[in-house]
């Protein structure tokens, strides 16, 4: 009789449970949206929803996979594309970094879950970060700083919080900010370019094309200030442009490619800004630029002050490739 390892048996059991769960149902767009909003209620401000699962726990991952495995009943090509993108994202390392540094999870879950649940989640975050480090998956400097700031300012008297702070104080973030430094990071970034920018070619070819499109302008570009809670491209959409509903909590449940495709004013009003941010995005996440290199390009092209440049860089780091939702506009005659 064959002997199976504990890990293999666990894997078989989980696969069986998933197969016997509520996956492979047929859901419409609204049902998909409702399920994903409920799942991610600790990651996106939704005051009317209770917290069912905390981010990236095993229960969260199993539930997410179950939801994304369902069949989408819709003729909306944009929503099908976004669902395919979310399914692909499951294979990449984000699950090993369970607390996004730009998301105030503590604020979102306070008064919605018990102290015991928060305590267990802090223990989980620490254990996951330790596990991730052993696989060469580490927070970047901005993520690391974001978590420390949230934890030290939180009014929560828990030993697990103190232990997590202590661990992060001794933690060494990865040297660079971009995705390229993570395992399969370049492939992860390419998958984002594919979705947001409908880009099938290599990032190097995209960069060459950007160089052809860019017209250097000595005029100062007025900057709409970015924040760390949503992709910068959303700040550039005029109020007259409708935000089409999407499935991704990271994008504020807005389908970015579909929304930007309906708004040609973005390209006309912000050409230099968009093309420059695209170049910096590629530089940070694919070519391995340092923060200083990104700052030099932004400052030389857009004449930003240090605070503006640093905020823009942080947004690019937290929302890779989202700015490329405007890229197809520049390929049109």
């Amino acid at each position: 009789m064959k002997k199976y390892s504990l890990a293999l048996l666990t894997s078989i059991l989980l696969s069986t449970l998933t197969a016997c769960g509520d996956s492979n149902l047929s859901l419409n767009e609204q049902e998909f949206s409702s399920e994903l909003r409920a799942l991610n209620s600790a990651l996106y401000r939704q005051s009317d929803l209770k917290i069912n699962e905390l981010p990236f726990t095993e229960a969260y991952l199993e539930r997410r996979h179950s939801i994304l495995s369902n069949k989408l009943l819709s003729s909306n090509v944009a929503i099908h594309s976004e669902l395919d993108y979310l399914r692909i994202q499951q294979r990449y390392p984000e699950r090993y970094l369970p607390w996004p540094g730009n998301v105030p999870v503590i604020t979102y879950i306070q008064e919605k879950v018990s102290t015991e649940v928060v305590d267990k989640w802090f223990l989980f975050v620490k254990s996951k970060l330790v596990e991730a480090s052993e696989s060469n998956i580490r927070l970047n400097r901005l993520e690391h700083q974001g978590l420390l700031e949230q934890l030290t300012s939180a009014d929560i008297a828990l030993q697990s919080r103190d232990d997590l702070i202590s661990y992060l104080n001794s933690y060494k973030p990865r040297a660079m900010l971009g995705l390229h430094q993570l395992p399969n990071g370049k492939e992860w970034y390419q998958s984002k370019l594919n979705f947001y920018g409908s880009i099938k070619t290599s990032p190097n070819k995209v960069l060459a094309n950007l160089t052809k499109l860019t017209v250097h302008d000595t005029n100062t570009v007025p900057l709409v200030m970015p924040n760390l809670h949503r992709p910068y491209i959303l700040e550039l959409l005029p109020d007259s442009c409708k935000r089409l509903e999407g499935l991704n909590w990271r994008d504020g449940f807005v389908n970015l490619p579909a929304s930007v495709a309906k708004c040609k004013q973005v390209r006309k009003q912000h050409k230099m800004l968009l093309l420059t941010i695209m170049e910096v995005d590629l530089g940070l996440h694919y070519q391995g630029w340092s923060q200083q290199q990104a700052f030099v390009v932004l400052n030389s092209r857009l004449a930003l002050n240090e605070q503006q440049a640093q905020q823009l860089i942080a947004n690019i780091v937290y929302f890779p490739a989202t700015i490329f939702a405007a890229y197809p506009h520049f390929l049109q005659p």
Side-chain angles (χ1 to χ4, degrees):
M1 182 176 179
K2 292 183 179 179
K3 293 184 179 180
Y4 292 94
S5 68
L6 178 59
L8 180 57
L9 285 171
T10 302
S11 176
I12 294 171
L13 178 60
L14 285 174
S15 297
T16 303
L17 287 173
T18 300
C20 295
D22 59 354
S23 60
N24 298 319
L25 299 175
S26 295
L27 305 179
N28 60 34
E29 292 178 40
Q30 186 56 52
E31 288 168 331
F32 256 107
S33 178
S34 297
E35 290 281 350
L36 290 169
R37 284 176 182 271
L39 175 68
N40 293 291
S41 53
L43 290 164
Y44 180 75
R45 186 182 293 278
Q46 300 169 106
S47 58
D48 59 329
L49 295 178
K50 66 178 182 178
I51 307 294
N52 292 314
E53 307 293 351
L54 288 179
F56 301 102
T57 60
E58 289 304 314
Y60 172 98
L61 294 175
E62 288 177 25
R63 181 62 186 155
R64 182 179 69 175
H65 180 71
S66 178
I67 294 170
L68 296 178
S69 297
N70 292 318
K71 181 180 179 181
L72 174 59
L73 295 175
S74 174
S75 59
N76 186 335
V77 175
I79 290 294
H80 276 282
S81 176
E82 186 171 31
L83 180 56
D84 288 342
Y85 165 72
L86 292 177
R87 287 167 176 161
I88 290 170
Q89 294 308 291
Q90 294 181 97
R91 72 181 65 159
Y92 293 110
E94 71 168 6
R95 63 187 179 277
Y96 293 104
L97 304 173
W99 186 350
N102 63 321
V103 179
V105 173
I106 295 176
T107 301
Y108 294 166
I109 67 176
Q110 276 183 328
E111 301 180 1
K112 288 190 175 185
V113 300
S114 67
T115 302
E116 290 76 16
V117 170
V118 176
D119 184 49
K120 288 181 180 179
W121 192 64
F122 284 159
L123 292 171
F124 165 75
V125 170
K126 180 183 174 183
S127 67
K128 207 65 179 175
L129 289 176
V130 171
E131 179 186 347
S133 293
E134 292 171 354
S135 300
N136 201 32
I137 302 170
R138 305 186 70 82
L139 299 165
N140 63 45
R141 296 191 307 279
L142 296 181
E143 295 166 333
H144 177 247
Q145 181 183 353
L147 293 193
L148 268 175
E149 288 176 352
Q150 291 186 57
L151 282 162
T152 53
S153 63
D155 185 18
I156 299 176
L158 288 171
Q159 184 61 47
S160 57
R161 166 187 170 268
D162 297 339
D163 290 345
L164 184 52
I165 290 174
S166 178
Y167 174 72
L168 288 171
N169 278 329
S170 63
Y171 185 94
K172 185 178 179 180
R174 66 179 191 266
M176 311 300 285
L177 295 175
L179 293 182
H180 77 285
Q181 202 174 19
L182 293 170
N184 299 317
K186 288 191 173 183
E187 293 81 0
W188 192 7
Y189 184 61
Q190 180 74 63
S191 73
K192 292 178 180 293
L193 288 176
N194 293 350
F195 170 65
Y196 289 108
S198 298
I199 294 168
K200 307 304 180 185
T201 58
S202 73
N204 287 330
K205 290 184 179 178
V206 175
L207 185 59
N209 197 35
L210 290 179
T211 302
K212 296 176 185 176
L213 292 168
T214 301
V215 176
H216 295 282
D217 192 343
T218 57
N219 295 325
T220 301
V221 177
L223 183 74
V224 180
M225 286 302 291
N227 65 57
L228 298 184
H229 303 303
R230 61 180 191 169
Y232 186 58
I233 190 68
L234 284 174
E235 309 291 349
L236 303 181
L237 289 180
D239 292 338
S240 58
C241 290
K242 185 177 181 181
R243 278 71 171 163
L244 301 177
E245 188 169 347
L247 303 175
N248 190 357
W249 69 267
R250 290 186 180 274
D251 298 338
F253 293 102
V254 175
N255 188 303
L256 295 184
S259 298
V260 176
K262 300 285 187 181
C263 189
K264 294 186 178 180
Q265 299 99 301
V266 173
R267 180 183 66 176
K268 295 177 181 178
Q269 295 175 6
H270 302 287
K271 179 177 180 180
M272 185 63 182
L273 178 60
L274 287 166
L275 292 173
T276 300
I277 296 174
M278 288 177 192
E279 182 178 341
V280 173
D281 198 294
L282 282 165
L284 286 169
H285 291 294
Y286 189 79
Q287 293 188 309
W289 285 9
S290 68
Q291 187 170 354
Q292 183 59 33
Q293 283 176 287
F295 176 80
V296 168
V297 171
L298 288 174
N299 189 52
S300 62
R301 301 272 183 83
L302 306 176
L304 308 180
N305 61 42
E306 184 173 355
Q307 180 186 13
Q308 291 172 325
Q310 299 299 358
Q311 283 189 247
L312 198 49
I313 289 169
N315 192 277
I316 293 169
V317 169
Y318 280 120
F319 301 101
T322 52
I323 198 69
F324 282 91
Y327 182 72
H329 285 223
F330 294 106
L331 304 182
Q332 298 170 1

